[in-house]
Amino acid sequence: MAYENILVEKRDGIAFITVNRPKVLNALNRKTVEELGDALRDARDDGSVRVLILTGAGEKSFVAGADISELAVQTPVNGKEFSLFGQGVVHLLETMGKPSICAVNGFALGGGCELALACTIRIASKTAKLGQPEVKLGIIPGYGGTQRLARLCGKGVAQELCLTGEMITAEEALRIGLVNHIYEPAELLPAAEAMAKKVIANAPVAVKFTMEAIERGMEMPQEEGLFLEATLFGLACATEDMKEGTKAFLEKRAAQFKGQ
């Protein structure tokens, strides 16, 4: 499928999805969000894709936020629909059953930070800047920032970042747990690909069940989360991959997983 504002490349089990509007620092307008949704659904439904890597075109920005020219004309009714539509695409990224790695290669502000928050793992260039500056425009985060940031980094961190609207450095993002690792700019995408290959080497069903246990368990009391974990553990024990994985370990060889 051809896109105007998104680049997609698939190779070695990885779908590389790049927001491609470098002249406006990869800002998210409606068309870009729509195309991103289409690209995510395509990757979700493609059996050859095991991991997604999201990044932005150019060296300055991952996604510098929403397109301000579109934001400026929102009415109360349109604004709610604008938010819900974006939330739907971001939710798809979070719940598609395949892990995603966000390679933050520059500014990740507003909707860009929210997109990163919905990814399974976040890594960043040392030059990256992250933040939720919506209050500076008289609005609030609308693509899930108030919810995911608090869950990931804690209520106090979310309050500070969302209320001040200030950007933070990659080093600070690492300190508060917003990103997992930081790299020199030239090392960022190779590091993302290396991490993706580590995930791909593992049993596909086990990876999916692990993600489900973590994502759903975070929304449950611990006792319910433990029950979910035990249930998914039991299901994993019924897979061909479990038999292959344990047999390969005992035979001291590399497992050949089939996702069954």
Side-chain angles (χ1 to χ4, degrees):
M1 186 182 297
Y3 301 106
E4 182 178 326
N5 298 328
I6 299 287
L7 299 175
V8 179
E9 179 188 359
K10 297 177 184 178
R11 55 181 165 84
D12 301 326
I14 305 171
F16 297 83
I17 300 177
T18 304
V19 181
N20 186 34
R21 302 183 74 211
K23 291 183 179 179
V24 290
L25 299 179
N26 302 320
L28 296 175
N29 60 5
R30 176 76 178 220
K31 184 173 182 60
T32 305
V33 177
E34 290 174 350
E35 290 185 349
L36 180 60
D38 290 339
L40 292 175
R41 281 182 285 271
D42 177 68
R44 177 195 63 191
D45 298 337
D46 187 338
S48 70
V49 172
R50 295 280 311 282
V51 179
L52 288 74
I53 294 177
L54 273 69
T55 194
E59 300 178 356
K60 295 182 179 180
S61 181
F62 167 57
V63 170
D67 191 312
I68 305 301
S69 63
E70 287 188 352
L71 278 179
V73 297
Q74 296 299 321
T75 67
V77 174
N78 291 344
K80 183 177 180 180
E81 191 279 333
F82 179 90
S83 176
L84 289 173
F85 178 76
Q87 285 181 5
V89 173
V90 173
H91 181 68
L92 171 63
L93 171 63
E94 188 174 50
T95 60
M96 63 189 299
K98 296 182 179 181
S100 54
I101 301 170
C102 186
V104 181
N105 56 313
F107 292 113
L109 306 175
C113 189
E114 290 168 308
L115 192 60
L117 284 167
C119 288
T120 315
I121 299 168
R122 287 153 297 283
I123 63 175
S125 161
K126 289 184 177 179
T127 59
K129 302 283 187 181
L130 302 93
Q132 299 287 166
E134 286 87 350
V135 290
K136 294 179 180 290
L137 300 173
I139 55 175
I140 72 170
Y143 286 0
T146 62
Q147 305 305 302
R148 290 189 180 89
L149 187 56
R151 285 167 170 78
L152 181 67
C153 300
K155 180 180 174 181
V157 168
Q159 294 280 29
E160 180 178 347
L161 291 182
C162 292
L163 295 180
T164 65
E166 294 299 311
M167 292 186 294
I168 60 173
T169 64
E171 287 80 6
E172 178 66 4
L174 178 66
R175 187 188 70 80
I176 65 175
L178 180 50
V179 300
N180 294 57
H181 306 280
I182 56 176
Y183 299 93
E184 295 294 341
E187 298 172 358
L188 182 64
L189 281 178
E193 190 169 353
M195 185 180 293
K197 288 179 178 177
K198 289 181 181 179
V199 174
I200 290 171
N202 299 321
V205 177
V207 168
K208 182 176 181 179
F209 284 176
T210 299
M211 291 175 59
E212 184 175 349
I214 294 171
E215 291 291 342
R216 292 186 179 275
M218 282 290 293
E219 307 304 319
M220 298 175 176
Q222 181 169 294
E223 186 173 348
E224 292 180 21
L226 290 169
F227 185 80
L228 171 64
E229 180 183 86
T231 302
L232 293 170
F233 180 89
L235 290 174
C237 288
T239 63
E240 292 297 320
D241 279 353
M242 181 270 195
K243 296 175 183 177
E244 165 63 13
T246 53
K247 184 179 180 182
F249 178 84
L250 293 172
E251 295 177 354
K252 295 180 172 57
R253 62 175 175 82
Q256 301 297 316
F257 295 121
K258 297 180 180 179
Q260 298 176 348

